[in-house]
Amino acid sequence: MNTESAFQTHRPRLMALAYRLLGSRSDAEDVVQDAWLRWSGADPATVRDPEAWLVTTTTRLGLDRLRAARRERVHYVGPWLAEPLEISLAAEPASDPAVAHARADEVSVAFLTLLEQLGPEERAAFLLKEAFDHDYRQIAALLDLSEANCRQLVHRAKQRLQAGRPRFNADTGQHRQLLARFMDATQRGDSEAIQALLHANARLVSDGGGVVTAAVRPLLGAERIGRLFWAIARRGLGHTAQLGWVNGEPAILRFLGDQLHSVTTIEVAAGRIANVYSVLNPEKLRRRVTNADGPASLE
């Protein structure tokens, strides 16, 4: 297998790792491209295991990029949400619904936002263990840490992530049904209907990046969220909406004309919507919306 063929064989795995590390498709693509440049300049005779070499290089490049991004995000206007990897108008995911749901859970906007709580090494150790099934010996060698340290990083990451995730999450069918009802109620500006779908202490996080109008702080409480969508509907901005998929999970896609305006996903707990995440920053919505059946880059 030649150098390029070997790289292309492992590219989907490298992209999946870089995206989970960074929460940004554009940054992940840059990291994978940098890994390719290093791979193409390496002496094949010195590489015993191409996959291990590429995963190590991608992880280390990703950590460097993540550290720089965290410094830059100090100056980001308002909440920061992940840049969608795949946006699709397909009616259903192509793969088995249970498999699609499991994959989506690993790259959902909500989960990637939660990963932002972790330090760079903590995030890398957790992802390598939980998402990519590396053993602690491999992780220790890759991160230049002891196995005991890596175990502690993963344990601490699990505790922090578990504390931030809602209990009693919905199955795919209930999730999509609640999302459809929420889309209809918000399009009509029906504050009472919106509040009926939300937990009393629900939270809305919107990312406009200072480029478009969005709340610069999370909006807390069903009543406040209901009033916000009532006010938006009263302004009559002419947004159309339909259900689609973002990173393999059901999402509301709103358009202004033929331009994608925002994507909205939700987290469900005990039959009601606990969290609403809306990405409005146009720099994060540049990817072409596909009509293909489901996302193709979530492995």
Side-chain angles (χ1 to χ4, degrees), residues 194-215:
I194 293 168
Q195 291 179 54
L197 296 169
L198 299 170
H199 279 281
N201 59 347
R203 181 178 63 138
L204 167 66
V205 182
S206 54
D207 176 353
V211 181
V212 297
T213 301

Side-chain angles (χ1 to χ4, degrees), residues 89-94 97 176 245 292-294:
L89 287 172
E92 297 292 342
R176 191 169 171 82
W245 300 86
D293 288 333

Side-chain angles (χ1 to χ4, degrees), residues 121-234:
E121 287 78 11
E122 193 177 18
R123 182 168 180 164
F126 172 80
L127 290 171
L128 288 167
K129 184 69 177 74
E130 297 300 312
F132 295 91
D133 201 28
H134 281 50
D135 61 38
Y136 285 109
R137 178 186 58 79
Q138 293 171 307
I139 298 170
L142 198 157
L143 297 180
D144 291 326
L145 298 170
S146 69
E147 289 188 41
N149 198 345
C150 290
R151 288 180 185 276
Q152 183 61 29
L153 286 174
V154 173
H155 176 70
R156 188 166 63 228
K158 285 182 179 179
Q159 287 184 318
R160 295 175 68 182
L161 295 174
Q162 186 174 11
R165 304 193 81 175
R167 300 176 63 192
F168 312 118
N169 224 344
D171 61 30
T172 306
Q174 183 188 31
H175 186 124
R176 191 169 171 82
Q177 183 183 58
L178 276 171
L179 187 70
R181 292 169 61 192
F182 183 71
M183 179 180 71
D184 178 64
T186 55
Q187 286 295 101
R188 292 185 286 108
D190 188 336
S191 180
E192 290 187 4
I194 293 168
Q195 291 179 54
L197 296 169
L198 299 170
H199 279 281
N201 59 347
R203 181 178 63 138
L204 167 66
V205 182
S206 54
D207 176 353
V211 181
V212 297
T213 301
V216 295
R217 296 182 185 84
L219 193 63
L220 303 177
E223 185 176 350
R224 295 181 69 193
I225 295 171
R227 288 204 307 266
L228 172 67
F229 282 106
W230 173 84
I232 291 173
R234 292 268 296 191

